[in-house]
Amino acid sequence: MKIFRALIVASVITAIAIGLGSVWMKSKVTSLLNSRSLVSSSVVLSRPTRIDNSSNLKALKFTNRLYRLGYHKAAELPQVAGEYQQVGSSYLLFLRKFRLADGTEQDERLVEIASNSNGSIEQIEDYRFKQSLPSIMLEPEIISLLGNSSDRASSPVSLENVPESLVNALMAIEDERFFSHFGIDPLAIIRAFVVNMSSGRIVQGGSTLTQQLVKNLLLENERSIKRKALEAIYSVLIEAAFTKNEILEMYLNEIFLGQEGNVAIHGFNEAAQSFFGKEIGGISLAESATLTGIIKAPSSYSPRRHPEKALERRNIVLGKMLSLGFIDEAEYESAIKEKLTTIPAQRSRRIAPYFVDSVRREISRTFDMNTIPKKGLQIHTTLDIEDQECANAAVSNGVARLEKTFPRLKNPGLQAALIAVIPATGEIVAWVGGKDYGNNQFDRISQAKRQPGSLFKPIVYLTALDGELNGYRTARTTSLLVDEPISLNVIGTGVWEPQNYDKKFRGDVTLRQALANSLNIPTINLSLKVGVERVVATGHLLGIHEDLPAVPSLPLGSVEVSPQTIAQVYSTIANSGMYVSLNWLSGITSSEASDVFMPEPPDTHRVASDAASYVLTNVLQTVIEQGTGSSVRRNGFTFPAAGKTGTSNDSRDAWFSGFTPDLLASVWVGFDSNEKTGLTGGQAAAPIWTEFMKCALKDAEPKPFIPPPDVVFRKIDLNSGLLWEPGCSTDNVVTEVFVRGTEPITSCLAEVDAQSHDNQDDIFRGRDPQSIPIRHRRQSSPWSTFLDNLFQ
């Protein structure tokens, strides 16, 4: 009786202990899982690839994108999402389902993309319904994990979204009595003991899924009797605290399934995405067996690193599933024949590390992360992976080439940075903040500020070419500027006698010649004529937020700005004077369909006339064709392009910023220590820009700059600056472009009155300032008075 009573007491105490322990365990596990959800697999994504009838598959580097996204080449008609078949120059592509930045979804769909041998698309249609499609989208690529998920990646899913084949594979190979034991499986322990003793080594384990979950979730990875005892106790408590389905779901989301570089892959959904580029609901029976086969030894059975071992292990799992009746013979044979294919690693690669760091800074600075769900965030950006890889290569190769040519540059170590933008939208498509992120994480695109040198000069010329931006009058490309020695008494610094880079003077030069050859003296004279304070205003309008001192040296770039700011300025010029703020964020989504954050649209407004911007662009084309940027042509870039070199004082910084109608890039080269490089922009930065553009626009169709309605072209006799017509000298005739209303109207055969419309070139030269009409005069300033007196 006493023994019976003691047993009852012991049972009650045990029940109370288990009950209290289960409450404690449930609280502990729930808290731990909640904390992990805050650092789950949030990712930074590239821009999706839009394909329409105007696209060119070669220019898009279409097959490269398919490879990185893990699309598999099928021998026959694609049957599942993620497969494609190439027939000649056309493709059958089974698109995957994915969410866009605005939360809308593109469904799975088999499409046919018909293209010619040059890659130009002729038609896109839904293959099954034979319906023409205006466009399709390839899903974005993972650029990087975000925030605290840099060393742990997981994408939790509910059990109802897990395919039955995966659950069955897991039961077959890891814990076939999972739904009948209480956290510990005595039969499995005994069986493992017998097998291991007969083998003389550890070949089989007896741990249940619950024990494995405890080991992964709650305990350190050590071998000791204490840890095994705690594992058993905790397993029983978890079984008491949670249902079998809850335990299974936790296991499926928490189990460690290998490394991708320095990133630990946790959970089957994350593993399915990492290895196969698929959500867990879309994996096949063979892929389910492959993933469950990894559990035993994630490093040894990684399908990416050890495909032969992974294949062997997969087939063992399939055999066990067959023997237990989870699959039939036909399913087994079909799965055995399935080829094991994986996608390239994405989570661990550093395709754009400086950009990702900037994203992290901006996300934490701009958004209240408490108002945005942190679980499974997808940060949709504008970055293009192909353009980024071109930029990475251009910077790396360019710096290496310079250091080889000039060994003195290796110490302290030359640096370079490149940012690329789509001018029409302001979208940033490439961002390289330095030559080696592993050695130096300082981002020279956004964090470094350097003098731009002559890169500032187009701001002066735009001010002169746009009558609304200056208080003097509208300049022409044929306006004469003086290139002669000048001496300026600068308040606070004394007498300043600027020089051209080559220390030479040319007398009278046209506006086009002055900018194309980056002449300092004519630019200074021009800025003083139109008003330095007006140049300052134009600089601010174009996107420079730094203070700009209204001093005569400003046109030579005597202010410090970042490459990001320079890209904004030149993007506005390239976009026909329309300011569109640079942007990188398309939207933020999460695993919850209702959670979508859309950024404010970029600031867009006109700051200069399209006519003046086009005329300036036309002059900047001369920079590349025959001016300081002519190395662009020598290095083989043939597309219509405009650009400007920049070399700061004492050759400390070398710059080049240039653009085609669709793409702009700005490049900086120099030392972090601000030491002299002895390099010019045309020598150091322009070749890097050229390599990038040749790569980014490979196989694309060249596009011309389209003149707006408010510009006109006229044949000009450069000897007089007047209209050329038959009877005029043919020695010096050019076709010039003008803002409508400013073009010469007088023939070179006629006499020009001093007060006429066509004498304005002399006005910019400064010979006859009194001929300026009163309505065009600006109020006198000390500098304008000084210059007017100088030229009289």
Side-chain angles (χ1 to χ4, degrees):
M1 189 70 180
K2 288 182 179 180
I3 295 175
F4 180 71
R5 186 179 299 132
L7 289 173
I8 292 176
V9 171
S11 298
V12 170
I13 292 174
T14 301
I16 292 174
I18 291 175
L20 293 174
S22 67
V23 172
W24 170 78
M25 179 58 69
K26 188 159 191 172
S27 174
K28 181 178 179 67
V29 170
T30 301
S31 176
L32 180 58
L33 291 177
N34 285 340
S35 67
R36 285 195 175 180
S37 72
L38 297 179
V39 292
S40 61
S41 184
S42 294
V43 294
V44 180
L45 299 174
S46 72
R47 67 191 297 119
T49 303
R50 178 184 174 87
I51 303 172
D52 57 31
N53 289 328
S54 66
S55 302
N56 182 290
L57 295 182
K58 288 185 178 180
L60 286 173
K61 302 176 179 66
F62 183 64
T63 54
N64 288 356
R65 295 179 189 272
L66 291 181
Y67 171 74
R68 287 196 307 271
L69 287 167
Y71 279 79
H72 307 307
K73 197 169 186 177
E76 300 177 348
L77 182 73
Q79 299 296 320
V80 296
E83 290 186 342
Y84 74 95
Q85 181 186 29
Q86 185 174 358
V87 182
S89 57
S90 298
Y91 291 82
L92 288 172
L93 178 66
F94 208 132
L95 293 168
R96 298 190 183 110
K97 180 179 181 178
F98 74 96
R99 293 179 74 196
L100 294 165
D102 61 2
T104 59
E105 290 187 343
Q106 176 176 275
D107 292 328
E108 291 183 359
R109 174 183 281 178
L110 180 61
V111 300
E112 182 174 11
I113 307 172
S115 68
N116 60 29
S117 58
N118 294 325
S120 297
I121 292 179
E122 297 175 338
Q123 186 177 13
I124 305 173
E125 70 172 13
D126 186 299
Y127 182 79
R128 302 203 185 281
F129 298 102
K130 301 302 178 184
Q131 294 177 340
S132 180
L133 302 172
S135 66
I136 58 171
M137 300 282 270
L138 280 181
E139 62 266 36
E141 301 176 43
I142 294 176
I143 299 173
S144 173
L145 300 183
L146 184 68
N148 294 328
S149 54
S150 58
D151 59 355
R152 184 182 192 276
S154 66
S155 302
V157 292
S158 61
L159 183 59
E160 64 186 23
N161 292 324
V162 178
E164 185 180 8
S165 63
L166 179 60
V167 174
N168 290 340
L170 189 60
M171 298 299 110
I173 201 66
E174 291 295 329
D175 192 352
E176 59 189 80
R177 282 179 291 278
F178 171 74
F179 286 101
S180 59
H181 63 61
F182 54 90
I184 303 170
D185 187 353
L187 291 177
I189 295 173
I190 295 170
R191 183 190 66 234
F193 177 79
V194 172
V195 171
N196 294 337
M197 288 297 291
S198 62
S199 300
R201 59 190 177 91
I202 302 293
V203 296
Q204 192 175 100
S207 294
T208 63
L209 293 185
T210 311
Q211 287 175 282
Q212 292 180 41
L213 177 63
V214 166
K215 183 171 66 175
N216 273 270
L217 198 60
L218 300 172
L219 299 176
E220 298 294 329
N221 191 20
E222 62 173 330
R223 293 180 178 273
S224 68
I225 295 176
K226 178 183 177 181
R227 191 196 67 78
K228 290 299 291 184
L230 282 175
E231 180 182 298
I233 293 170
Y234 284 179
S235 297
V236 172
L237 294 179
I238 280 183
E239 290 276 347
F242 298 94
T243 67
K244 285 290 186 179
N245 281 348
E246 288 173 332
I247 294 170
L248 180 57
E249 183 175 299
M250 285 189 288
Y251 180 92
L252 290 167
N253 288 322
E254 285 297 319
I255 191 67
F256 173 67
L257 292 170
Q259 292 282 139
E260 194 178 288
N262 67 330
V263 179
I265 305 300
H266 284 266
F268 282 93
N269 189 37
E270 190 70 27
Q273 295 176 46
S274 174
F275 293 119
F276 306 128
K278 300 179 179 180
E279 296 288 337
I280 195 170
I283 63 175
S284 65
L285 168 60
E287 289 167 338
S288 294
T290 301
L291 293 180
T292 53
I294 294 173
I295 298 171
K296 182 178 180 181
S299 178
S300 298
Y301 295 120
S302 166
R304 185 179 292 119
R305 296 174 58 192
H306 303 290
E308 298 84 3
K309 288 185 177 181
L311 188 64
E312 181 181 352
R313 178 68 176 166
R314 180 198 76 176
N315 293 344
I316 291 173
V317 175
L318 290 170
K320 189 72 181 293
M321 293 179 73
L322 177 64
S323 66
L324 292 176
F326 286 122
I327 57 175
D328 57 30
E329 191 70 35
E331 290 173 313
Y332 172 79
E333 291 297 332
S334 176
I336 284 288
K337 293 177 182 177
E338 185 173 311
K339 184 180 178 181
L340 175 59
T341 55
T342 60
I343 66 171
Q346 295 189 47
R347 285 151 181 77
S348 61
R349 64 178 176 172
R350 284 181 169 178
I351 182 67
Y354 295 100
F355 175 75
V356 172
D357 282 354
S358 180
V359 168
R360 289 192 179 106
R361 287 192 297 269
E362 290 299 322
I363 286 289
S364 62
R365 181 186 305 142
T366 307
F367 305 108
D368 180 1
M369 296 305 289
N370 292 321
T371 65
I372 301 176
K374 298 184 180 71
K375 184 176 181 180
L377 291 179
Q378 293 91 45
I379 312 298
H380 298 261
T381 75
T382 61
L383 200 82
D384 184 274
I385 297 296
E386 287 292 339
D387 289 342
Q388 181 66 33
E389 290 190 337
C390 288
N392 289 341
V395 168
S396 177
N397 295 339
V399 172
R401 186 168 52 246
L402 287 167
E403 289 182 337
K404 182 178 180 180
T405 305
F406 307 100
R408 59 182 169 77
L409 300 174
K410 292 183 179 180
N411 189 11
L414 194 65
Q415 282 290 349
L418 185 154
I419 179 173
V421 174
I422 299 175
T425 62
E427 293 172 311
I428 296 168
V429 294
W431 180 302
V432 182
K435 68 175 182 181
D436 187 353
Y437 181 84
N439 289 330
N440 191 324
Q441 292 79 50
F442 179 66
D443 178 25
R444 295 153 193 88
I445 291 296
S446 62
Q447 295 177 315
K449 291 187 177 183
R450 295 299 186 87
Q451 289 190 0
S454 295
L455 218 57
F456 193 92
K457 288 175 181 173
I459 299 175
V460 177
Y461 287 83
L462 181 61
T463 306
L465 290 165
D466 190 330
E468 296 298 319
L469 295 178
N470 76 75
Y472 190 63
R473 67 184 306 154
T474 304
R476 300 171 174 171
T477 54
T478 56
S479 294
L480 293 178
L481 307 177
V482 176
D483 185 17
E484 296 174 354
I486 59 173
S487 178
L488 302 177
N489 187 20
V490 181
I491 298 173
T493 61
V495 176
W496 179 48
E497 296 181 347
Q499 299 279 334
N500 291 320
Y501 184 80
D502 60 5
K503 304 293 192 294
K504 296 179 181 178
F505 300 97
R506 295 159 179 79
D508 287 351
V509 294
T510 66
L511 181 148
R512 182 182 292 276
Q513 291 168 333
L515 183 53
N517 293 290
S518 199
L519 301 179
N520 293 339
I521 306 303
T523 305
I524 294 169
N525 286 332
L526 181 62
S527 70
L528 296 175
K529 271 292 185 182
V530 300
V532 179
E533 67 282 356
R534 297 301 184 97
V535 174
V536 168
T538 302
H540 289 319
L541 288 172
L542 290 174
I544 298 177
H545 301 299
E546 289 80 2
D547 288 335
L548 297 176
V551 296
S553 62
L554 179 64
L556 307 188
S558 61
V559 63
E560 293 186 341
V561 293
S562 68
Q564 187 174 4
T565 296
I566 288 297
Q568 178 69 78
V569 169
Y570 276 77
S571 179
T572 305
I573 295 170
N575 194 33
S576 302
M578 184 68 73
Y579 176 95
V580 180
S581 57
L582 299 191
N583 57 93
W584 57 266
L585 180 64
S586 300
I588 299 176
T589 58
S590 78
S591 54
E592 300 295 328
S594 60
D595 294 330
V596 177
F597 174 87
M598 293 297 293
E600 292 292 324
D603 181 15
T604 303
H605 58 276
R606 179 162 293 286
V607 298
S609 73
D610 55 354
S613 300
Y614 177 83
V615 173
L616 176 61
T617 296
N618 189 271
V619 176
L620 292 175
Q621 287 182 263
T622 307
V623 172
I624 287 177
E625 297 301 334
Q626 56 191 32
T628 57
S630 57
S631 65
V632 169
R633 294 297 186 228
R634 292 197 301 272
N635 288 321
F637 185 63
T638 59
F639 281 40
K644 183 69 186 75
T645 55
T647 307
S648 68
N649 192 36
D650 293 329
S651 298
R652 299 178 188 277
D653 306 280
W655 298 79
F656 189 83
S657 190
F659 52 92
T660 65
D662 295 329
L663 183 63
L664 173 139
S666 296
V667 177
W668 167 86
V669 178
F671 290 124
D672 288 338
S673 60
N674 203 25
E675 295 178 37
K676 296 179 183 179
T677 66
L679 304 174
T680 65
Q683 186 180 27
I688 293 175
W689 181 91
T690 303
E691 181 175 343
F692 167 72
M693 297 297 276
K694 286 169 66 177
C695 176
L697 298 177
K698 183 180 179 182
D699 294 316
E701 287 292 325
K703 293 183 180 179
F705 292 99
I706 305 298
D710 287 336
V711 301
V712 295
F713 294 85
R714 296 288 186 265
K715 282 188 176 182
I716 300 298
D717 169 36
L718 281 184
N719 294 320
S720 63
L722 302 176
L723 282 175
W724 182 90
E725 63 180 35
C728 296
S729 171
T730 59
D731 292 340
N732 207 1
V733 182
V734 296
T735 298
E736 267 296 0
V737 59
F738 302 91
V739 175
R740 186 180 296 278
T742 68
E743 70 275 13
I745 58 175
T746 306
S747 166
C748 62
L749 298 176
E751 269 190 41
V752 182
D753 182 77
Q755 303 295 322
S756 76
H757 165 87
D758 287 327
N759 196 39
Q760 63 168 303
D761 292 335
D762 279 347
I763 294 168
F764 272 93
R765 184 185 183 281
R767 290 182 184 136
D768 189 8
Q770 298 306 315
S771 67
I772 306 173
I774 295 297
R775 65 180 180 277
H776 290 306
R777 281 187 181 274
R778 58 184 170 84
Q779 291 188 345
S780 179
S781 70
W783 285 115
S784 63
T785 302
F786 173 84
L787 187 66
D788 287 343
N789 292 333
L790 178 68
F791 286 148
Q792 285 182 8

